[in-house]
Structures are given as structure tokens and as C-alpha cells.
Amino acid sequence: MRLLKVATCNLNQWAMEFESNMKNIKTSIAEAKAAGAVIRLGPELEVTGYGCEDHFLELDTVTHSWECLKELLVGDWTDGILCSIGMPVIKGAERYNCQVLCMNRRIIMIRPKMWLANDGNYRELRWFTAWKQREKLEDFQLPIEISEALDQKSLPFGYGYIQFIDTAVAAEVCEELFSPLPPHAELALNGVEVFMNASGSHHQLRKLDIRLNAFMGATHARGGVYMYSNQQGCDGSRLYYDGCACIVVNGDVVAQGSQFSLRDVEVIISQIDLDAVASLRGSISSFQEQASCKVKVSSVAVPCRLTQSFNLKMTLSSPKKIIYHSPQEEIAFGPACWMWDYLRRSGASGFLLPLSGGADSSSVAAIVGCMCQLVVKEIAKGDEQVKADASRIGNYANGQFPTDSKEFAKRIFYTVFMGSENSSEETKRRAKQLADEIGAWHLDVCIDGVVSAVLSLFQTVTGKRPRYKVDGGSNAENLGLQNIQARMRMVLAFMLASLLPWVHSKPGFYLVLGSSNVDEGLRGYLTKYDCSSADINPIGSISKMDLRLFLKWAATNLGYPSLAEIEAAPPTAELEPIRSDYSQLDEVDMGMTYEELSVYGRMRKIFRCGPVSMFKNLCYKWGTKLSPAEVAEKVKYFFKYYSINRHKMTVLTPSYHAESYSPEDNRFDLRQFLYNSKWPYQFKKIDEIVDGLNGDSVAFPEEEANSNREIGVVAANSEDPSAGL
């Protein structure tokens, strides 16, 4: 037997915060060594933090990385253990995203990333060059200061693996695993048994199984030990890196770390028999044949042994059941952990949320409540860093710390119901009830006086006073009156966030939380610079459909029963007067349902559909319920208001990234914000297709008809309260 003990980890790194990053790296190495591991894998770019973005273009960032690496190597951190450290490296004139493989105070080799992530939220080609020289390892001259400190002048640089006396180990960096021809396939044929994947992978709803299936698939048919390490937490941007460090042996997961956690360091250990890898490979005829005619990959020989012989004191790790969270749990835990990191690192003393009693703001409130629960639970488990952060943020004295989530929420969470003459007693009651269940400090503020003062000023300036549509006013008047209310709420929210801590003799300031969802952003169903304008928004990339499922789940699982009633209420902005024959409803205002918006969003972004291709696809998807002409009108209506309101995305509050069809303009969904909203060429093409179908019978497969969900048909209201504003 060849027994091997390995360690991988989740690290909560912070972009450009070298001191705390190094503290986490050292802690993970110390824990790995204490457990007897001989390999320690850390996340991609762990020294700097993955999200440095244009800071990677600064020479200081690379210099500081070398300084940190020197600190590790001149100490005893790498004694007796192979450490894979992620950092940027400049070779010649090019900058590379690298894994530096170190052991016994020496750098064995540097492995640059060959296939860079450059889609969605990733822009690696902006900062790094992909390594293209696969044929051989090149010589790399260490910086003078590092060379003198380590008494090592040069080392191998490039694509290759390390050949120890008893096994072979190689790095595969994040995106490379998902490339069409991943390196691990070729490396396995060259005898590599242990693969180390350092990653900077962010959370996205329903994504984890794709990642884990890739790990398992990498070793299922060709054998091997696949180690995966990831960042975990908010490292300074919209992304939450969702950890889930794991170890896979011959296609089976034998160790899995947490996906969502408040901990800064989580190390997972596995004990493996490498003979199991050799045995599997020897039993696969096709593997043997392909290995016999393989393309040889360069290697670095290290005269050192990593494994132990048969030893009953070492218990072998066995396959484990994979832990997957439901989407509702992902919505609760992911944004909650992201908000905690943002809160503790921003210097703020808490959050302030305009709580309307509707589904969106109530979802945000529930997530803050979940965050408070996670904090108290982690403190109870003995996490000293969480205790110190919570004591500081909650302004506890004399060594005290949170022991009850509701008491902690009272210290750090303000909710404000900013009602007007158009608000109902039901939403006011629901907001107060939910705040009490969470433990928030709740305020009930009437904004009618502020709105009236603004209208009086307008009347003084213009001689006219606008009226609502239901009172005989025009569309312009109706829209203006709604936007005045919405924008006054934003101004009041920021004023309260900055001054309420002072009123209550507390230090610092509060972060204002936004609560618009991804579908409203896509449609533009929000007032520019209203309560959607905030410091951060934990649900800005989550669909309304998912939020409603979350509310049902949270009512029971988070202990906030009022959320069930909130979920059941019809969505309404409550910006127009309520009459016996009229009540404002979101879906009527928008001219489409939230379910339809999710379909439009996925087709526009995920499937890259323009108006014409979206129309064609929806003719198949909705053809059993709607005629081609009706589908055409829906597609045109969506693209009209999507393009009219696209400019709002340029000022969208920084939001937690959770959904792959997010319209977020600053990092993820890059498009112009000035459109011809008539789409003359595209809409003409749609009309030509519809005209060509008139009189023709259209057949749809029976199974499609049976599986098709009911399509909600909502009358298009041209008096859109958000159009163009």
C-alpha cells in the first residue's frame, strides 16, 4: 500500500489585503501539518485574493506577492509538506496566473495557467497571459531579493508535473478543468496520480453539481486523486466564492468542505491509498493502450517520498454522500455570508432597510435575520474571529458577545416602513410583524409631509399641481407623482442610515440595503434613484419566482411565520391611490408576469437570443397556448421596455451575483444603454415570419404540449410607471 494524507482548504481572502490573506494561508498550512498531511492545496491567487482586477496590472501587487512567498519559505512553513500557493508572476514581459509549488523551503516549480477564464464575471485575459509553451519547461530566474533569501537562483517554469520517488503530482488551475481538452487527461496518461485544482469559483444558484460532476468525471474513467480548493466569502466585490473544497478518489467524493460559512479558514483532510488508483488504471484496457502511446509531458524529479507503507494507525477515507443545498437554502446562506463579510470589512455598524411589507424587502430582511442566526451559531462553535467581529459591530462591552440572534439584530439592524397615503394597513402590519420576529429596530415613518412639501414647491415654481390618473390626471402626472414618493424614500433612507447611530449614541454608520430583484432590473420596473438605490443589494440577482419559494421556506426554517402571508399577497408598489375599483399590481403595470420575465431573461442572456431568435424559440415553447402573432407581440413588448430602461442598469446598486441571466451592467452583462427601442429591423423580420405563417397549420409535439407550463397573459399597460425614468 502507498498511503497518502492530503489537505485542501476554503480560505476567506480579501483582495489586496495581504496581511489577513497571509494569516489565513499560514493557519491552513499549520492545520494541514498538524493533521499529518504531506500535500497542502490553497485557492487560486490566494496571496493577493482573486478579485484584485486591475490591481493585477500594478507591479506592486506582484512584488508584494513575492514578499509574502519569501516570508513562507524562509520560515518552517513548508518543511515536510508540498504547498501549492496561488499568486501572479511576471516572466519576461508577460504576467501569468500561477501556482507556485514549494517544499522544504525551496520552490520546486512554477505552473502558469494555460486556459484563462474570460466569460461571465471573469476577465482574466485583461490581466494575464495564457501559457502556451506546452512542449517543455523553461528556466525562470527568481527576483534578486528572493534568490538571495532562498539561496536559489532559478527553477522550472511551465506545464509539467512533479515526479516524487513514489508518486507523481500535478496542478490543474480552475478553468482548465472545464476546457474541451483538460490537462488532467494527458497528465494521467503520463502517470500523474494526484491532481491539485486551485480555484476562484463564485456561487451561482444550482451550479454546484456541475462543478462536482466535473471533479468526479476527471477521475472516474482514468483514476486519480483530485483535490479542489476555493476561496470562500466576499473578497471585495459582487461575487461570493462558495468554497466547497473537496477531495475525490477514482470518481468518489471522500471529503467535502462547507459551501457557505463565516469561518476564515476551513481545512479538510483525507487519507488515501494510491494503490487503488494504480489498480483502477491497470484494469482499464483503453487507458493502458492510450498510455502506451502518450505524448510525454515534462516533469521535475524530487528525490523525496510522500507516502507511507501499510499502517493501521492511518484510517482510509471512504466515499461520502455529497451535500447539496436547496435553492432556498442557497438564497438564505449565500447572501447572508456575503453581507457579513461586507459588514465586518466596511467599518459599518449595521444595516438599514426600507421595509415595505412586500416580498422583495421582506426577503432581504429575512436574509439579514439568517445572517444574525449564523453569527450566533458560529460563536457558539468557538470561532474567535466571528466573536471579535460581532462584539465590535454590535458595540458590546466588557468582553460580552452575541448569544441570541434577535438581541444581536436589535443592535445592528434598522427597518423602516415609509408609508404614504397610498400604503395599506396590511403592508404596514406585515412589516412591523416581520421586524419583530427578526428582532430588528423598527420605525414607522409617514412621508406624506415630505411629498406634499415637494409638490407645493413644484406648484410655486410652475403654477400647476399634478394629479393621479385615477383622479383625472395624465400619464405624465401619474408617473411623476409615483417617482416623487420613491425618490423621497431613498433620500430619507440614507439620512436615517447616517444619523440614527448618532441618535442612539452608537459609533459608525449603517449600510442601506436595496431590495429590487433581477426580473425588475431586466424589465426596468423601478424608479431610477429610488429605494433600489442603496449601498448593496443581496437579492439583485435573484428572480421573483425563486424569492417566493424562499419566503415559503424561510417562514418555517428561519422561524419567521409572517413571511408566508407576505408571499401569498399580490405584488404591488403601492404608489397610486387605492380605490374600490382599482388597486395597483406589479404584473399589470409591467404588462408581463414574473414567470415570463424569467423566460425572457434566460433566453436573452444564457441562450444569447436577440428578438428574432427569441421569437422563434418561444413559438415552440408557447405554441400550444399562444399564436405566433401573440408570441410576437410579447417579444416586441419585452424588448421595447428592456431597451427603454436599460440605462437604469448603469446605476444599479452593487448586488450579490446569484443568477446567470442577471442584467447587471458594470461587470457581468456588458451592453449599450442607449437603444432604438423600436428595433425596426428586428421587429420587421418578426412580422415577416408571422405573415409567412398565417394560413399555415403549425404542429407542436404532443410531449411539448403536455409539459408546457401555463402561460400567464397580462394586458399590456402602456402607462408603465417606470418607463424611461
Side-chain angles (χ1 to χ4, degrees), residues 3-6 35 254 269-273 314-318:
L3 304 181
L4 180 72
K5 183 173 284 190
V6 298
V254 298
I269 309 289
S270 281
Q271 295 80 232
I272 299 147
D273 177 16
M314 181 182 288
T315 304
L316 294 180
S317 300
S318 57

Side-chain angles (χ1 to χ4, degrees), residues 31 161 198 311 386 424 471 535 550:
E31 290 186 16
Y161 62 93
N311 180 1
V386 175
S424 66
D471 296 327
D535 290 308
F550 164 70

